Amino acid sequence: MATKEFCCAGGAMPEEVGSCRGDSTPPLHEMVVLSPYIKHLNANRALVAIHCLLLAYYFRHRLIWSPVHENEAFGFWVIAVICELFLAVLWFCGQTTRLFAVERQAHPERLQSRYGQVGALSKLPAVDVFVTTADPRKEPPLITMNTVLSVLAADYPTDRAACYLSDDGGALITFWSLVETSKFAKKWIPFCKRFNVERRNPSSYFSWAFQLPDSNFNDWTAMKEEYEQFANRINLVADSGEVPDDVLSSMDGYQKWPAESSRKHPGIVQVLLDHHSRDVEGNVLPCLIYVSREKHPDRKHHNKAGALNALTRVSGLLTNANFILNLDCDVFISDPKAIQQAMCFFMDPSFASELSFVQFPQAFEEVDKDDRYASRMKSTYDIIAKSVDGIQGSFDFGAGCMHSRVALYQYENDTHIKSLSKEILPEEVFGRSGQLFSSAVHVLECQIGRSAHEVAIMPPEVLDDVIRCDYEDGTFWGKKIGWIYGSACEDILTGLVHHSRGWRSVYCSPLRSAFQGSAPPSGTDALVWRKRLSCGVTEILFSKYSPFRGGQRGLKFLQRIGYIIVCGRPSKCTAIFIYATLPVLCLVNGKSIFPKMSDPAMFRFILVFVSLYLNQYMENVWMGSGLRGWWNNERMSMLLCVSSWLLGAYEAYVRFVSGTDSVFILTPKYIDSNQNHQGKGTSFVFNSSGLFVPPTVLIILNVLGVAEGMRRIIRGGIQAVDVDLAHLFCACWVLACLGPICHGLLRMGRKGGMPMRVVLKACAYVAAMLWIARLLCN
């Protein structure tokens, strides 16, 4: 892999850390069997094998049976068989990646015991934590500041940690809030360490009654009052939309904020806490740096990936840590030992030479018990991630992922810094900054990163230069190094590129969640969020990094299959949408794509249907969900397939053809649970978005089909039941899955109902589909 001179943990040498595999030293991590899904892995394999046999039994009949009777349409039958084969192949490919599912557990207590002496923890590699935000109106500053506080208070040597906040909107409110946070942190951090606080996000800590201590009540009350005053100050300024003049007067040098707007402003770098900063008890504090890269309406900024690359360059100049932890503004550290858990993998000499990143699962606050919007993404975190972890490693899901800076800097499998100048000019790789190139040499030559409190003193013009709009022009940034451009899902794309170069990754899923974030507050926000994901993975499919392309010698075969399944999901949803229309079109036109109920061949259809949903139900049970949780997941899967995934894929295709850039759409976050609709009875906020048109089309079609089917059954009696019952069942199943949209249609024209504009569009599409279906029947 990469270079054989790459040292253990990107800084600590193997002789320092000892062998994690030796007989005398307990390992820092190991494979375990903890989660119910892993415990029942063999049972799941048995169910998969049974379903495979049933599919073979089903298609043996399906492919030789053709519509020869007068009430059967050959065109519909061909489309149905193509969809069934396509979905079956995708399902089978997805199951093959699950054969090697593993579960890993880190042992940070062993890391502590090995380096628990006074001052010994400073031998751990330095870590830079990136927190990104873009719009204080959609991402309230208080949420972001709580995330920053959880980072600053993490259980990691303060001289080895630094927190960078990227404010892509260049908002004065965000900067002022960070200044206030730097002051409050001087009291909050010693409080957390003195009383060994578990939840070091103050908002979360003070909202849980069980955190109330029996002793030290006065200290707890005083800190709670301090936090409430801090939160009130930030909320008042955020609600007003501007920082008052009397507050600005107390900010040295920032009475006149240089940013004109969120789309046009100069670059700003401000160190708020450095090696001179101390808390109220005189202890050293982690570094805290504010960064807002330069933006101009006429320049491409590459959304979040561009912001992360700007942070990478700034941090390379200031602290140059060996590892980088990526967090969204609403994803806070819920386990103070989370960074140490990642280090358990990076400090393993048998892993360090090939480990690119460690991915943690993300838990979500304020999600109702039954997860009505499938926001927990249990299938992604509990099944898919653990499955590919046994092949080449987990996908990069963004927040909660710790990267090796070496992996981000190496642009080829065997890049070595000593031969870099002979092969290509340094300016073409890292840009025109000589200081940045020197810091890259420092990392790639396996030298340990400087202490976070040895912040390099850089002239302001050097820092401003690396975050200018034109700095990346003609360089490898976003193309071969850093976070890769070309998709709204920059995290998955970057992980794919690293795996293609032969790197591997690790999925660490501790019993206690390491990171927690905010789930989409409503069904509509959940659809918008998934649409962005759909657009991003489809962009990867169309890019030069597509897993379908050859030349990716470092990508293992089953890992490639895993990426194809993830990136090809919108194609699967297209097949599901088409298949969902066929039974009702048959009902309306008096045709059939299924055998009669009295035909023994129908037994094959029933067996496959029951087997498929039994498999999915048992997976949900093993993931800790009950019957209601399974139904909510099934319902949202159908709704997402025919709305978010479908529209996201279409949008990505249009942009690919037109050559336009993707747009990163922020989903709103809420400060408290009273503003979060999840579990409070509110389902969807219906609007004129195109997301509601496809499901409305399906509902109108299926209602017409059910009405026609019932009419024919009433008139035809048992004979009509024999022919139409299977089609009628499919139509009712689709309507049940789209129940939330049906509710909006029932309230059409009233407050909270589906807008008439959406219904009219859907009716036009329905008329066109009925016309095409009539042509196929003829």
Side-chain angles (χ1 to χ4, degrees):
M1 172 49 241
T3 169
K4 294 189 174 157
E5 296 184 17
F6 178 58
C7 55
C8 179
M13 298 304 294
E15 57 269 21
E16 292 178 339
V17 301
S19 174
C20 295
R21 304 295 184 187
D23 295 333
S24 59
T25 305
L28 295 177
H29 62 88
E30 57 188 346
M31 293 186 184
V32 294
V33 178
L34 296 175
S35 67
Y37 178 76
I38 300 297
K39 290 179 180 178
H40 295 89
L41 191 58
N42 288 331
N44 181 68
R45 289 168 178 167
L47 288 176
V48 169
I50 293 173
H51 189 67
C52 286
L53 292 176
L54 291 175
L55 281 175
Y57 179 57
Y58 169 79
F59 280 113
R60 178 180 177 274
H61 163 78
R62 190 62 159 162
L63 294 176
I64 64 175
W65 178 85
S66 61
V68 295
H69 304 295
E70 61 181 6
N71 68 327
E72 293 160 350
F74 184 77
F76 287 158
W77 176 82
V78 170
I79 295 174
V81 170
I82 291 174
C83 290
E84 290 170 357
L85 282 172
F86 180 71
L87 293 173
V89 169
L90 282 182
W91 177 86
F92 178 77
C93 291
Q95 297 303 317
T96 59
T97 63
R98 302 183 184 188
L99 296 175
F100 306 97
V102 297
E103 190 170 17
R104 305 179 192 273
Q105 184 179 23
H107 297 288
E109 70 282 355
R110 296 176 184 175
L111 195 70
Q112 287 183 324
S113 65
R114 194 170 298 176
Y115 302 98
Q117 301 82 10
V118 177
L121 272 174
S122 62
K123 294 181 181 178
L124 289 171
V127 176
D128 289 335
V129 183
F130 294 172
V131 180
T132 54
T133 185
D135 188 347
R137 294 167 298 181
K138 289 188 176 182
E139 299 172 333
L142 185 59
I143 292 180
T144 306
M145 299 309 125
N146 271 279
T147 297
V148 170
L149 287 168
S150 73
V151 172
L152 296 176
D155 192 1
Y156 202 75
T158 54
D159 67 326
R160 309 301 294 161
C163 178
Y164 290 80
L165 176 65
S166 169
D167 177 19
D168 230 22
L172 176 58
I173 293 176
T174 304
F175 175 75
W176 173 81
S177 299
L178 194 64
V179 172
E180 291 295 304
T181 301
S182 66
K183 299 175 183 176
F184 178 73
K186 296 178 180 179
K187 302 175 183 178
W188 173 247
I189 294 175
F191 173 82
C192 290
K193 296 188 175 180
R194 189 186 322 131
F195 299 112
N196 196 24
V197 173
E198 292 185 356
R199 288 175 171 261
R200 300 193 178 180
N201 169 345
S203 175
S204 179
Y205 172 72
F206 290 118
S207 65
W208 289 85
F210 67 81
Q211 293 282 355
L212 181 63
D214 296 329
S215 58
N216 307 308
F217 179 76
N218 292 334
D219 292 328
W220 187 90
T221 304
M223 181 53 61
K224 188 173 187 293
E225 291 176 353
E226 287 277 357
Y227 172 70
E228 289 175 347
Q229 295 173 7
F230 162 76
N232 288 334
R233 289 196 302 272
I234 291 180
N235 285 336
L236 285 173
V237 172
D239 292 341
S240 66
E242 58 182 12
V243 182
D245 293 337
D246 59 330
V247 175
L248 281 177
S249 62
S250 62
M251 296 171 58
D252 296 337
Y254 282 90
Q255 286 81 8
K256 182 174 176 55
W257 187 245
E260 299 179 25
S261 68
S262 61
R263 299 184 64 232
K264 184 178 180 180
H265 57 80
I268 305 169
V269 179
Q270 184 71 18
V271 179
L272 300 180
L273 296 176
D274 57 16
H275 59 284
H276 297 297
S277 303
R278 298 291 187 274
D279 62 26
V280 293
E281 296 180 357
N283 300 315
V284 174
L285 287 169
C287 290
L288 180 62
I289 299 98
Y290 173 90
V291 179
S292 181
R293 59 177 173 151
E294 182 186 27
K295 297 188 78 174
H296 194 279
D298 297 332
R299 302 285 301 191
K300 290 184 179 181
H301 303 291
H302 304 290
N303 304 320
K304 185 179 176 181
L308 289 172
N309 281 337
L311 285 179
T312 303
R313 293 192 293 272
V314 172
S315 64
L317 290 173
L318 293 178
T319 51
N320 204 29
N322 304 105
F323 300 100
I324 297 171
L325 175 62
N326 174 25
L327 296 177
D328 291 339
C329 68
D330 62 326
V331 178
F332 65 90
I333 298 179
S334 56
D335 184 352
K337 298 186 184 300
I339 298 178
Q340 291 189 38
Q341 291 187 34
M343 284 301 135
C344 288
F345 298 96
F346 283 115
M347 296 292 282
D348 183 350
S350 65
F351 263 55
S353 62
E354 57 183 14
L355 186 57
S356 170
F357 59 89
V358 175
Q359 177 67 60
F360 288 86
Q362 182 179 332
F364 295 96
E365 291 190 311
E366 301 299 338
V367 176
D368 60 310
K369 178 182 177 182
D370 297 320
D371 192 14
R372 69 171 62 185
Y373 306 133
S375 299
R376 290 195 179 100
M377 300 177 67
K378 279 182 167 289
S379 176
T380 300
Y381 290 126
D382 289 355
I383 298 180
I384 297 177
K386 292 178 181 177
S387 298
V388 292
D389 192 23
I391 305 171
Q392 197 173 351
S394 169
F395 305 136
D396 183 350
F397 295 117
C401 184
M402 182 176 288
H403 285 266
S404 162
R405 192 182 287 265
V406 170
L408 290 172
Y409 280 177
Q410 283 191 338
Y411 59 91
E412 289 179 357
N413 289 12
D414 299 311
T415 299
H416 195 279
I417 197 67
K418 292 179 180 178
S419 60
L420 177 63
S421 58
K422 300 177 183 178
E423 301 172 359
I424 195 169
L425 294 175
E427 301 85 46
E428 297 181 33
V429 181
F430 296 100
R432 56 181 174 261
S433 173
Q435 293 90 337
L436 181 61
F437 177 73
S438 298
S439 73
V441 172
H442 196 266
V443 170
L444 290 173
E445 287 188 339
C446 305
Q447 300 178 29
I448 189 167
R450 66 172 66 92
S451 167
H453 281 95
E454 297 172 4
V455 179
I457 301 176
M458 288 286 170
E461 57 272 15
V462 175
L463 294 173
D464 292 342
D465 183 46
V466 297
I467 56 176
R468 288 179 58 87
C469 293
D470 62 349
Y471 183 83
E472 296 180 352
D473 294 351
T475 70
F476 284 5
W477 285 102
K479 301 171 186 174
K480 294 186 177 182
I481 64 174
W483 273 263
I484 306 301
Y485 301 151
S487 170
C489 293
E490 76 292 327
D491 39 21
I492 296 179
L493 177 56
T494 301
L496 169 60
V497 171
H498 287 192
H499 284 142
S500 300
R501 294 172 181 168
W503 292 94
R504 69 155 298 140
S505 58
V506 162
Y507 185 70
C508 179
S509 54
L511 291 176
R512 177 185 173 186
S513 59
F515 302 93
Q516 288 193 356
S518 302
S522 70
T524 304
D525 292 314
L527 294 181
V528 173
W529 177 38
R530 301 297 179 85
K531 178 188 173 186
R532 187 183 74 199
L533 294 179
S534 173
C535 185
V537 296
T538 307
E539 288 171 335
I540 295 175
L541 210 61
F542 292 150
S543 72
K544 65 179 181 180
Y545 307 105
S546 172
F548 281 111
R549 291 175 177 263
Q552 299 163 326
R553 289 173 292 180
L555 196 62
K556 294 183 178 180
F557 176 74
L558 285 181
Q559 189 79 11
R560 185 187 300 272
I561 294 296
Y563 275 110
I564 289 174
I565 295 299
V566 170
C567 297
R569 186 169 182 178
S571 302
K572 170 187 172 182
C573 297
T574 303
I576 290 177
F577 179 85
I578 294 173
Y579 196 78
T581 65
L582 295 179
V584 292
L585 292 176
C586 287
L587 284 171
V588 171
N589 290 279
K591 303 296 180 180
S592 176
I593 58 171
F594 300 134
K596 295 179 181 180
M597 296 300 297
S598 58
D599 190 335
M602 177 53 70
F603 184 63
R604 298 181 176 92
F605 287 80
I606 296 174
L607 279 179
V608 169
F609 180 87
V610 172
S611 172
L612 176 63
Y613 283 99
L614 177 63
N615 194 354
Q616 293 180 0
Y617 173 72
M618 291 309 299
E619 283 186 350
N620 276 269
V621 170
W622 294 330
M623 289 187 295
S625 300
L627 181 61
R628 187 181 293 273
W630 165 78
W631 174 245
N632 285 337
N633 185 70
E634 189 62 34
R635 183 190 63 178
M636 280 302 297
S637 294
M638 171 63 81
L639 181 53
L640 290 169
C641 274
V642 301
S643 59
S644 302
W645 290 101
L646 201 63
L647 267 292
Y650 172 75
E651 185 176 304
Y653 176 75
V654 171
R655 288 175 180 168
F656 172 73
V657 173
S658 62
T660 56
D661 294 330
S662 61
V663 178
F664 193 88
I665 301 175
L666 290 174
T667 51
K669 284 83 176 178
Y670 292 99
I671 296 176
D672 55 54
S673 59
N674 293 328
Q675 292 175 285
N676 196 325
H677 300 304
Q678 287 223 24
K680 306 259 188 271
T682 301
S683 293
F684 288 86
V685 180
F686 297 103
N687 52 41
S688 299
S689 169
L691 285 170
F692 294 111
V693 175
T696 304
V697 168
L698 278 184
I699 289 173
I700 295 174
L701 265 179
N702 281 274
V703 168
L704 291 175
V706 169
E708 177 62 20
M710 294 302 296
R711 185 189 68 82
R712 292 171 58 185
I713 288 175
I714 292 173
R715 286 190 175 186
I718 298 299
Q719 184 178 0
V721 172
D722 193 25
V723 175
D724 296 329
L725 185 59
H727 303 78
L728 196 60
F729 173 80
C730 291
C732 292
W733 181 266
V734 172
L735 288 175
C737 290
L738 299 180
I741 309 300
C742 293
H743 178 75
L745 285 172
L746 291 175
R747 296 181 56 84
M748 179 179 57
R750 291 179 287 174
K751 184 178 180 181
M754 187 70 71
M756 184 62 68
R757 181 180 178 183
V758 172
V759 178
L760 292 176
K761 283 184 179 180
C763 288
Y765 285 117
V766 168
M769 293 174 72
L770 291 174
W771 178 72
I772 294 174
R774 183 59 57 91
L775 292 179
L776 286 175
C777 292
N778 295 332

